[in-house]
Amino acid sequence: MNKEWKHDNEDGSYTVRTCGWSPPGDHPVGCGMKLTVKGGKLVKVEGDAEHPISQGRLCVRCLALAEYVHHPTRITSPMKRSIEDRGKEKWSKISWEEAWDIIVPKILQLKKDHGAESIVVFGGTGREACLYYYPLGFASIGTPNVCYPLSGWSCYGPRCAITDYILGAGYPEIDFAGTFPDRYDNPAFTLPKYIVEWGKNPLMSNPDGFYGHSLIDMMKRGTKIISIDPRITWLGTRSEYVCQLRPGTDTALAMAFLNVIINEDLYDHEFVDKWCYGFDELKERVQEYSPEKVAEITWVPKQTIIEVARIIAMNKPTAIQWGLAVDENPNGVQLGHAILSLGAITGNLDVPGGITLGAPAALLGKWRMDTRSNISEELWDKRIGAKEWPALANALATTHPDETLDTLETGKPYKLRMGWFNSSNFITATCSAQPDRWYRALKSLEFNVVQDCFMTPTAMAFADIFLPLPTFAEHDGIVITHFGRNPVFLGAMNKAFTVGDCKSDIEVCIELGKKLHPDMWEFDDVPDFFSKQLKPELGIDFNDLRELGVYQPKYTYGKHEKGLLRPDGEPGFNTVTGMVELTSTLFETWGDDALPYYKEPPYSPVSTPELFNEYPLILTTGARTFTSFHSEHRQISTLREITPDPVCELHPETAQNLGINEGDWVDLENMFGKCKMKAHLTPCIHPRVVHAVHGWWFPEKPAEEPSLYGVWDSNINKLVPHKHIGKLGFGAPFKQMICKASRREA
């Protein structure tokens, strides 16, 4: 881009070029924006047409940014209340120094009396938070216990871990020419013939390293879509094929695809012979998954299975983009293994228009892990769940979330005494399974700090100190979006204005770190911090990035052939065998099968037929909407006007049998819990399936306990059980439970 990042206008306003990130506003992709400010107020938001990825396109959340940043209920000063007043609106404003004067002595005392392990940092899913809550725990506070409280770590973590173990690389995205300034016209790029969207709706989710509109751009140029989803989405209606499968049966479908490709000799012999380990064993395993058998399991017709498998094998390049259907599944490790095997044996790994590969950690991701050096080995060994779940612990360097809840409830192996909630509103059906259990367990903590932009149910319930966060528009930073763990681009996040007295995640890390572990935080300020991350890797500093606007690193295809994946510089993959492990050398050592396999969901018409008679609908949850990022944005009137209520989707025939009409309030219930949703009737869902949204709370309802902004009214995660995870510790049944539905009486 190389344009000035700040421009003074004739009317006394000024315009700042920046890249948005979450929280709030943007999903993970880092859209280019121009923000116009006058009199200290954000008065105009527009897309930056010169941004090479988003090209001027913005979602409704970004367009509503001014309403968000200047919202009357936003908290912009630190606050405190007494422990006795938790759950009550009895806050008083304090300064940052007053906040540190309370927090720092408390941390020091807890570490002295009970050890640093008595403190736990809870992280959220905002992409800035993801970069900084690890260092906040490891290098600022000095605790080994950093927790992402989603049962089975069921978002992104499983994908990263599986890919690391099977390929020795970072989680792969599809190639959309994101690293080329001239994008699709670059001669090195090849347009994918097909893209398989597996449990993913990128137009709404805009996942890391991939902008949803890029899919539309490629479709316009001729790319065809295959959709694998229990729901027929907008994208599904424009797909060449839709595999509308029974929720939770994805692994069986992947194995049937492998069955067809291998048995019909459609695989890439050269790639398999040279780069794949365990092909013969995989060939034997997939004989258990004939298209006929899998059609009965998945509800996908036999002929569709065969035709889709042939398309994947016979049309190069074909890319597979996989989403939360992999992560939120106790059988998800095996699903991810099977999907990667599909990409490998068809020769679609790290080729133009295929599935990209990169190093397991890069740039700030590497720094984030390096901060672990502040923790002694003795202290690191106390990390909750690490010994019980080594596959998760080795890949993700956090506590095991389910074990963390067990520890809170039992006090074993030791008592947790302080919680730091970093951008995590997790009792609001955002990530915790059985949030009512988490709520009761978290009551045992003696002292809590919450960082957020607004008061949330989680903050109201637990915070003793509230630290206000700025939006991306109010502080300097870096957007880093990943493409096989290599950045697609780096974007400058330029401070445009100030609202109140807020501090960003990295500012909090540096300030607290200098007070507790100054040797880990030898940075003068935020620009100095970013310059010291950028300069060794890319040869530019933060001011250079400001001037560039967007930095697009070069991408090299076929890295396994060139010795660019292994630290020893030898050709191959960074695995034990140096090859793509169709048969895993690690899974078996951790007590699981070396080969992928299908396991029936824990609750289903097959595994629990008697329960299914009582709860005869298959419940899938969590599809994204355009108007929110998980539980954010509920108080923004423009966005609530578009999506006013929590919705569950039912087939019209099912609704008619239950006496439910469009717009009726409905109770969804199973053996674990109950919640209410507003019915939307659609033929795009199977008659035996119901889909419910997540992340709902009601800022307009009473804040104090027991209401907590109505957090329990429409909390779909009350119906999802704790610790129903896979053998390696990953996955949970967020997308494959059972329930019943009934019309709610007024």
Side-chain angles (χ1 to χ4, degrees):
M1 289 167 56
N2 218 12
K3 300 287 183 180
E4 60 179 351
W5 67 272
K6 187 175 182 181
H7 175 73
D8 292 324
N9 303 316
E10 292 182 358
D11 63 355
S13 66
Y14 60 88
T15 300
V16 171
R17 286 177 179 264
T18 190
C19 288
W21 224 15
S22 64
D26 202 11
H27 271 45
V29 290
C31 304
M33 306 170 71
K34 292 193 289 186
L35 306 178
T36 299
V37 179
K38 189 171 185 178
K41 296 280 188 180
L42 178 60
V43 296
K44 186 178 182 181
V45 178
E46 56 188 324
D48 186 351
E50 296 181 66
H51 188 285
I53 307 299
S54 55
Q55 300 171 329
R57 295 172 288 198
L58 292 180
C59 69
V60 67
R61 296 175 311 280
C62 289
L63 294 172
L65 182 62
E67 192 175 349
Y68 189 108
V69 298
H70 299 304
H71 198 278
T73 65
R74 188 174 163 208
I75 298 171
T76 58
S77 297
M79 302 194 301
K80 70 173 182 178
R81 65 180 173 187
S82 66
I83 293 175
E84 295 77 20
D85 288 330
R86 281 187 194 167
K88 300 177 182 177
E89 285 197 279
K90 293 191 175 182
W91 298 96
S92 58
K93 288 184 179 181
I94 56 175
S95 68
W96 278 92
E97 279 310 309
E98 288 175 296
W100 293 137
D101 287 344
I102 297 169
I103 293 168
V104 171
K106 187 67 176 177
I107 291 173
L108 291 171
Q109 192 65 47
L110 285 170
K111 290 168 76 170
K112 177 183 176 183
D113 294 344
H114 306 288
E117 68 272 16
S118 66
I119 303 169
V120 57
V121 173
F122 295 107
T125 197
R127 287 322 187 255
E128 281 201 82
C130 287
L131 284 178
Y132 303 121
Y133 73 76
Y134 284 73
L136 173 65
F138 298 156
S140 294
I141 295 172
T143 177
N145 287 324
V146 171
C147 177
Y148 179 54
L150 177 61
S151 180
W153 229 112
S154 300
C155 179
Y156 200 61
R159 276 173 279 174
C160 293
I162 297 161
T163 311
D164 193 8
Y165 297 144
I166 301 303
L167 302 182
Y171 162 64
E173 263 293 355
I174 64 174
D175 185 7
F176 67 109
T179 58
F180 301 126
D182 50 352
R183 299 296 300 282
Y184 313 109
D185 296 323
N186 191 285
F189 176 72
T190 301
L191 188 74
K193 291 183 179 178
Y194 281 85
I195 294 175
V196 180
E197 291 294 337
W198 202 311
K200 199 177 192 90
N201 191 1
L203 298 179
M204 289 184 174
S205 63
N206 286 323
D208 298 86
F210 185 83
Y211 189 63
H213 280 283
S214 299
L215 198 63
I216 305 301
D217 293 340
M218 290 188 284
M219 289 168 69
K220 289 177 178 177
R221 289 172 175 250
T223 297
K224 296 178 180 179
I225 305 298
I226 295 169
S227 176
I228 301 175
D229 201 304
R231 304 157 68 233
I232 300 177
T233 63
W234 181 92
L235 193 60
T237 65
R238 289 148 179 85
S239 296
E240 192 85 354
Y241 283 89
V242 175
C243 297
Q244 192 175 8
L245 77 175
R246 173 163 66 94
T249 62
D250 304 71
T251 308
L253 184 63
M255 296 297 278
F257 289 158
L258 288 166
N259 174 292
V260 173
I261 292 168
I262 292 172
N263 288 342
E264 294 190 4
D265 198 25
L266 302 177
Y267 60 92
D268 186 322
H269 284 254
E270 181 181 358
F271 189 89
V272 168
D273 291 344
K274 192 171 184 179
W275 302 112
C276 291
Y277 172 79
F279 177 77
D280 290 339
E281 291 88 343
L282 179 65
K283 180 178 180 178
E284 182 179 352
R285 173 60 56 86
V286 301
Q287 302 313 311
E288 301 172 25
Y289 299 94
S290 68
E292 294 86 356
K293 177 181 176 180
V294 170
E296 294 179 7
I297 294 171
T298 63
W299 304 343
V300 178
K302 169 189 168 183
Q303 195 57 34
T304 300
I305 294 172
I306 294 170
E307 290 175 12
V308 169
R310 290 171 177 167
I311 286 172
I312 293 172
M314 298 171 68
N315 291 272
K316 292 184 181 180
T318 286
I320 304 175
Q321 190 173 45
W322 32 307
L324 281 173
V326 176
D327 296 343
E328 296 192 335
N329 184 342
N331 192 210
V333 167
Q334 292 70 39
L335 173 57
H337 194 176
I339 290 174
L340 291 175
S341 299
L342 277 170
I345 72 167
T346 57
N348 282 303
L349 290 183
D350 218 19
V351 297
I355 303 169
T356 65
L357 296 182
L363 203 63
L364 287 174
K366 182 179 183 301
W367 164 78
R368 182 178 69 173
M369 290 298 97
D370 287 346
T371 60
R372 206 280 272 176
S373 65
N374 190 50
I375 306 294
S376 69
E377 289 303 317
E378 180 184 5
L379 187 56
W380 191 241
D381 286 343
K382 296 180 180 180
R383 187 170 40 128
I384 294 170
K387 291 183 176 66
E388 296 86 346
W389 305 100
L392 187 148
N394 288 342
L396 299 175
T398 64
T399 70
H400 191 288
D402 297 87
E403 294 290 343
T404 306
L405 176 54
D406 289 347
T407 294
L408 283 164
E409 290 180 327
T410 66
K412 297 177 181 179
Y414 46 79
K415 183 176 174 57
L416 291 169
R417 298 176 182 273
M418 174 182 169
W420 189 299
F421 298 76
N422 179 254
S423 309
S424 185
N425 181 22
F426 69 87
I427 67 166
T428 313
T430 305
C431 54
S432 57
Q434 290 190 263
D436 47 337
R437 281 182 62 178
W438 276 97
Y439 169 74
R440 292 190 296 270
L442 289 164
K443 288 285 189 179
S444 66
L445 293 172
E446 299 168 10
F447 181 68
N448 295 313
V449 178
V450 171
Q451 290 174 270
D452 219 310
C453 298
F454 286 85
M455 186 59 64
T456 66
T458 303
M460 181 58 70
F462 306 117
D464 303 307
I465 302 290
F466 187 106
L467 301 179
L469 283 169
T471 67
F472 65 79
E474 300 162 63
H475 70 94
D476 289 329
I478 291 177
V479 171
I480 178 168
T481 60
H482 289 273
F483 185 68
R485 253 8 214 171
N486 284 347
V488 181
F489 70 89
L490 298 177
M493 189 189 301
N494 295 314
K495 182 175 180 177
F497 54 92
T498 299
V499 177
D501 190 14
C502 305
K503 292 185 187 293
S504 67
D505 292 287
I506 186 58
E507 288 176 306
V508 167
C509 283
I510 292 172
E511 286 194 17
L512 182 60
K514 283 182 178 292
K515 295 175 186 294
L516 293 172
H517 296 279
D519 55 311
M520 296 297 298
W521 298 96
E522 297 176 348
F523 309 109
D524 298 333
D525 50 28
V526 170
D528 180 53
F529 166 79
F530 286 117
S531 292
K532 285 175 178 171
Q533 308 311 314
L534 293 169
K535 199 74 174 178
E537 295 275 346
L538 305 178
I540 61 173
D541 62 19
F542 184 64
N543 286 326
D544 295 330
L545 184 61
R546 279 195 202 272
E547 297 303 319
L548 288 169
V550 170
Y551 175 90
Q552 289 174 282
K554 293 180 179 179
Y555 187 81
T556 302
Y557 295 107
K559 288 181 286 297
H560 55 285
E561 299 172 329
K562 303 175 178 68
L564 299 176
L565 290 177
R566 295 170 56 94
D568 60 10
E570 292 295 316
F573 293 82
N574 191 30
T575 60
V576 175
T577 60
M579 307 171 84
V580 177
E581 297 201 347
L582 307 178
T583 300
S584 172
T585 56
L586 292 174
F587 290 172
E588 216 166 21
T589 66
W590 290 323
D592 209 344
D593 198 317
L595 290 159
Y597 58 88
Y598 170 65
K599 185 176 181 181
E600 185 69 23
Y603 302 96
S604 81
V606 177
S607 57
T608 55
E610 291 183 5
L611 271 175
F612 193 68
N613 287 334
E614 185 178 355
Y615 303 107
L617 293 173
I618 299 172
L619 171 66
T620 183
T621 71
R624 301 284 177 84
T625 66
F626 290 113
T627 53
S628 63
F629 184 59
H630 297 303
S631 68
E632 284 191 80
H633 306 102
R634 302 300 180 199
Q635 61 279 92
I636 308 304
S637 58
T638 298
L639 303 179
R640 277 293 290 277
E641 185 178 351
I642 298 169
T643 310
D645 301 302
V647 168
C648 67
E649 295 177 347
L650 292 160
H651 192 278
E653 292 177 8
T654 306
Q656 184 178 20
N657 292 336
L658 295 170
I660 295 170
N661 299 310
E662 176 72 25
D664 284 347
W665 283 100
V666 171
D667 284 329
L668 299 181
E669 184 176 4
N670 67 11
M671 52 283 188
F672 296 103
K674 181 179 180 179
C675 74
K676 68 175 186 178
M677 297 271 163
K678 184 166 278 192
H680 171 55
L681 311 188
T682 172
C684 294
I685 198 164
H686 193 281
R688 298 174 74 185
V689 176
V690 56
H691 171 264
V693 297
H694 75 299
W696 267 89
W697 57 294
F698 303 89
E700 65 273 19
K701 291 189 176 183
E704 293 192 344
E705 292 179 332
S707 167
L708 294 177
Y709 302 105
V711 69
W712 309 118
D713 295 351
S714 300
N715 197 322
I716 193 61
N717 284 5
K718 288 162 62 180
L719 282 70
V720 181
H722 168 65
K723 214 171 186 178
H724 282 53
I725 56 182
K727 284 188 176 182
L728 298 184
F730 293 110
F734 287 94
K735 295 186 177 294
Q736 49 182 268
M737 280 304 295
I738 58 175
C739 73
K740 63 181 179 181
S742 59
R743 185 176 180 274
R744 189 179 183 90
E745 299 300 327

